[in-house]
Amino acid sequence: MNTSYFRGAHKRTALVVALSACLLSVAAQAQDAPPDTAKSQNLETITVTGSRIRSVDVETAQPIYTMDQKAIQATGLTNVNDVLARLPSTGTPDISNQNPLANGDGVGGSYVNIRNLGSKRTLVLVNGRRWSTNLSGLTDISTIPVSIIERIDVLKDGASSIYGSDAIGGVVNIVTKQKFDGAEANVYYGTNGAHDGDQKNYEFTWGHSTKNNSIILAATQQETDPIMSNTRALTRYPQGPRHPNDRLGLTNEGNIFAPDGTSYVLRPGGNAANLADYDQRDANGYNTQADSTFRAGTKLRNLFLSDRYNLTDNITLHGTASYSVRDSSTVVAGYPFSTSSTGLELSGQNAYNPFPGQDVDFARRITEEPRNSFNKDRMAHIDVGAEGYFTFINHDWNWDATYTYSQSKVKQVYNGNVFLPNAQKALGPTALVDGQVVCANAADRAAGCLPWNIAGGPAAMSPALWQYLGYLATDRAEQKTNDFSANVGGGLFDLPGGTVSIAGGVEHRKEEGSFTPDAADVLGLTTNPASQPTNGGYIVNEAYLELDVPLLRDLPGAKELGLNAASRYSHYSNFGSTTNNKYSFRYRPIDDLLIRGTYAQGFRAPSIQDLFQGTAQTFDNYIDPCDAVYGSAEAKSTCAALGVPANFRQVNQNGQPITSANGDSGQVPFLQGGSTQVKPEKSITRTAGLVYSPHYVQGLDFTLDYYKVQVSNAITNLTANGVLNFCYIQNISSFCNNVTRDATGTITSLLETPANVGTIQTQGYDFGVHYRLPETPIGTFSIASDSTYLKQYDETAGPGAAVRHLVGYQVNQAVATNASAGEFRVRSNLALNWEYKSFGASWTMRYFSGLKDICVDSFECSNPNEINNDTGTLGVARKGSVTFNDAQFRYSAPWKGTFTVGINNVFKRKGPLYYDSATAGVPPYNSAFDVDRFFYVSYDQKF
């Protein structure tokens, strides 16, 4: 174990021991407290997200945004992820439902990304405790049903000193209902204007509370139908409706390549063995969007149970159990089956070879069998514990101890792939038996072998042939977490400003995970990207202390002045120890104004996938710096020194030279894998802000917060572009060992691993105005405006790399592995709400500022001489802003029923098309944008 990365481990171990002893000591005194006094006093205090110290003050030194159940319902959304995605401070998640080519155990889940720093740097809690994560460290928030949520707190600040790893961009704390009497049923249905992407939601909640017990049971089923790419012009083509013939993939026409490389395509009805029936040309491109999912469909079933039992006046037992099953599926175009992607050739002894006696190359997309992936994720979560109150040194104290267990099991099934040994036999030698062309080997014929007329296109693929060629692969992944935590806190002594309070706690967590790919995939026997098993885990022991010091209160010029400090020590079994501190202040010069600020250290530990991922194949979109046309001038000398020909051209999957500086995916799969050498990334977060609530205007609040986050040693999952950049442009020789080329200069293998090479710096402002107007004869009106202004988002890929200033850019995530797809300068929500007796209505506006994009032609290139900060090449296309408008109407009936109808994107606005998209084969439309007008209706009945 490497402990040199951090210092002072022996001192911090002593801290853990001492704090553990303290916890046991004070908890033992819980039974000695005067029962009525302790409990009655603590009922007035609350725990605010971002602090373990209970307080009567809701406003703290930290910027927290809260959405209650009413605000959630006003969005007309049924998924937690969709609700959070509306917040101006959130960015594109690491995996979205708009990327059918994504793979891994996170596909189909929903994730939240605060400050555009990535979903892995956002910590998700439920009732202050960690929720289940997958192998890559992502937390699927779709497994949390909306019906049991009391409120959602979003802490837009670093909080590693309180919660540990991952709390860099911020913390999402989902607080569930603690008491519920009666029953409630809700049904919801919504559909796009094009009658796709239907959403159906069914919820039932039952609860019963007595003097000593409160139990809640909830059942939820959510269904979202997929949106296919071919259903609307906006998504019908890989490069959008203005460029229907660009970025087309390998066709379903069969290409046969002569030994001299000449391409031939069989004429309709022609004889595949007769060269005279071929045209000497390349096959026409194929629109892969015709068969592909644009946004994936999902189905989620969830059971949730919680119970709280007052064992004594001072001690409460609590437990929560949740079990969810999520199904999702995607479709992409059939596999581009070719010699270059499989290594197979059409035998010279095959009757369908127009060059008898000579093995030849071929290429054809198997469009008659699109590739489907089906994901089933079973997630179980249980936590049990106790909490209580007592009096210690004449002050109120509270304690809690909780054990949490989470397990996620994922099953992924893929079809539409080819079993290569059978394909080799079907393309191998043939014979003539009873006048029929058959596979030459009798044993192969007995096993079902049929000759494959690869040049014949879809017409030559019979059901019996596909049954012989096709392969159904199954992968499995599992993640388990065992977590024990204990906390204690209370008052120490009094100062003029109030009681000095302290909180402390310990946590022991064990993370384990595994990924078991299909056995045939492991051996590389199928066209599904080959991968190796993943298996690993680690143990972390942690301890923290938090101190709150209220210095002054109710004095002229100092209605309140307080300081808070927290420190958390973490020891990981796989890399060593780290200590992270946080300091904050709050100052209220007058009753109406609160000034606040924080300074926080943070870290993110490597995930199981970062550390232990087995190598897996991937087709990366990349630009070869040695390409003679679109490559880098800085790389020429290194390329020449490493033997790359001066006239080398990078080719796409069709074997044709690339036609854009945006690059393309190649014919050979690259490899991705984990690295046990990766270390934690570190961060510094600074915030400063104010809250102004003028007493002369009741119901009006202003908030303004500045933030700055710096991330160093960022764990970057290097893409092909990253590896090539470090080797050929930055001249870091260790990365050149990850690249292999053939004599022509073509890359034949490339290994991508995570590394601590990146840095990120972002800063900006959050501004909010909330005003509940005085009641009028026609009802009560309220206005809420929340905005984020992104001043800076700079990313450095690694040593020697140029700083990329990405604010206001549509970002290619295949290049910028840490940035969100759209770094909007301004995001803003404005909502007007009206309530009158049994009626209610709201109107919401969601604004996205414009972004800069790559140029695809002279027509769509507003600034051809401007350097594009994302690609580093000349040419910028400025795209305009877009605003989406939502409307909702509500009616509460006398029988405790509530009807709700609404329209999201009332005016059917469409966002701009951005061609610097993350993945080849995905339409150039930002996943944060609405694709259509969306209608919904819901009915809620309380019993």
Side-chain angles (χ1 to χ4, degrees), residues 34 50 133 161 167 306 318 342 371 394 423 477 550 608 611 621 627 713 753 803 870 919:
T133 62
S161 61
S306 70
H318 60 82
T342 65
R371 287 168 289 171
N394 297 320
I608 290 175
L611 296 163
N621 193 88
D627 183 81
N713 293 327
T753 60
V803 178
D870 182 35
T919 308

Side-chain angles (χ1 to χ4, degrees), residues 484-636:
F484 171 80
S485 62
N487 305 280
V488 64
L492 294 176
F493 53 87
D494 296 328
L495 290 177
T499 301
V500 176
S501 300
I502 191 171
V506 294
E507 184 172 359
H508 170 83
R509 190 169 77 253
K510 183 179 182 180
E511 301 278 1
E512 302 173 273
S514 64
F515 173 71
T516 306
D518 187 273
D521 290 348
V522 172
L523 298 175
L525 300 180
T526 76
T527 53
N528 201 38
S531 58
Q532 300 297 314
T534 296
N535 189 31
Y538 57 83
I539 295 173
V540 55
N541 292 301
E542 299 180 285
Y544 78 91
L545 283 173
E546 181 184 5
L547 182 68
D548 189 81
V549 183
L551 298 172
L552 302 174
R553 186 177 291 270
D554 296 329
L555 296 176
K559 293 297 181 180
E560 180 186 4
L561 175 62
L563 304 175
N564 184 283
S567 180
R568 188 180 186 97
Y569 163 75
S570 306
H571 183 272
Y572 282 76
S573 60
N574 55 320
F575 61 75
S577 306
T578 178
T579 299
N580 293 272
N581 303 315
K582 183 173 183 176
Y583 311 96
S584 61
F585 76 91
R586 58 192 182 278
Y587 171 52
R588 197 183 296 271
I590 58 176
D591 288 332
D592 297 353
L593 178 65
L594 171 68
I595 301 172
R596 60 193 182 189
T598 64
Y599 172 91
Q601 298 172 326
F603 79 105
R604 181 174 79 86
S607 67
I608 290 175
Q609 181 171 280
D610 291 333
L611 296 163
F612 307 111
Q613 180 189 2
T615 54
Q617 288 183 334
T618 177
F619 283 92
D620 241 1
N621 193 88
Y622 72 100
I623 178 71
D624 195 322
C626 297
D627 183 81
V629 176
Y630 298 105
S632 170
E634 300 170 277
K636 284 185 177 180

Side-chain angles (χ1 to χ4, degrees), residues 372-389:
N372 293 269
S373 65
F374 305 92
N375 298 267
K376 182 181 288 292
D377 186 349
R378 295 181 175 88
M379 199 281 285
H381 172 96
I382 184 170
D383 61 70
V384 292
E387 60 186 39
Y389 305 100

Side-chain angles (χ1 to χ4, degrees), residues 97-102 196 225-232 234-239 247-250 286-297 329-336 365-367 369-373 919-923:
N97 64 351
Q98 195 171 293
N99 187 357
L101 295 175
D196 58 2
D225 293 342
I227 299 178
M228 301 303 294
S229 294
N230 61 8
T231 56
R232 44 179 56 78
L234 181 70
T235 61
R236 191 168 293 145
Y237 305 99
Q239 196 73 344
R247 280 176 58 178
L248 299 179
L250 180 64
Y286 182 77
N287 179 12
T288 55
Q289 299 311 113
D291 305 321
S292 298
T293 303
F294 174 59
R295 290 186 177 172
S329 62
T330 58
V331 182
V332 296
Y335 187 80
R365 185 179 296 275
I366 308 174
T367 56
E369 293 292 340
R371 287 168 289 171
N372 293 269
S373 65
T919 308
V922 177

Side-chain angles (χ1 to χ4, degrees), residues 9-19:
H10 62 286
K11 295 181 180 179
R12 294 160 192 143
T13 303
L15 173 63
V16 176
V17 175
L19 188 52

